Amino acid sequence: MTEILTEIPTRYLRTPEAARFLGLSGRTLEKHRTYGTGPAYRKLGGRIVYTVGDLQAWAEQGVRVSTADPGIGTVFPAKRIDPAKRASAEAARRRR
């Protein structure tokens, strides 16, 4: 019984909460979802939810320490991205 109580359930955020967490507008997060450039999400019935961990992981892809730093990944803008460009960025991320 204590094992069940020690596990913290996953926290799910709806789009407005997730957008505030990231410092974005809800509409920007919706666009990211449409174009496939945003954080991982889950669809539960008709509701879109995000985990805090997925939001943090997506934001971490944009971490840089200088303008010359290539970083660990690419956070694309909320617009349609050329599939070849996305594939090359994902391949580069996997090689690291």
Side-chain angles (χ1 to χ4, degrees), residues 69-87:
D69 182 2
I72 59 171
T74 303
V75 175
F76 291 106
K79 64 180 185 178
R80 194 170 312 278
I81 301 295
D82 176 25
K85 186 175 181 181
R86 183 181 309 160

Side-chain angles (χ1 to χ4, degrees), residues 37-85:
T37 58
Y41 66 92
R42 285 140 179 87
K43 192 163 185 180
L44 306 176
R47 299 177 192 267
I48 301 296
V49 295
Y50 299 86
T51 65
V52 171
D54 287 340
L55 296 172
Q56 289 172 326
W58 180 73
E60 286 298 312
Q61 292 178 27
V63 170
R64 307 287 192 272
V65 294
S66 74
T67 55
D69 182 2
I72 59 171
T74 303
V75 175
F76 291 106
K79 64 180 185 178
R80 194 170 312 278
I81 301 295
D82 176 25
K85 186 175 181 181

Side-chain angles (χ1 to χ4, degrees), residues 20-51:
R20 273 195 307 277
F21 180 83
L22 293 169
L24 302 172
S25 73
R27 182 70 183 121
T28 297
L29 200 50
E30 290 169 2
K31 286 180 182 180
H32 274 296
R33 205 168 50 239
T34 299
Y35 298 128
T37 58
Y41 66 92
R42 285 140 179 87
K43 192 163 185 180
L44 306 176
R47 299 177 192 267
I48 301 296
V49 295
Y50 299 86
T51 65

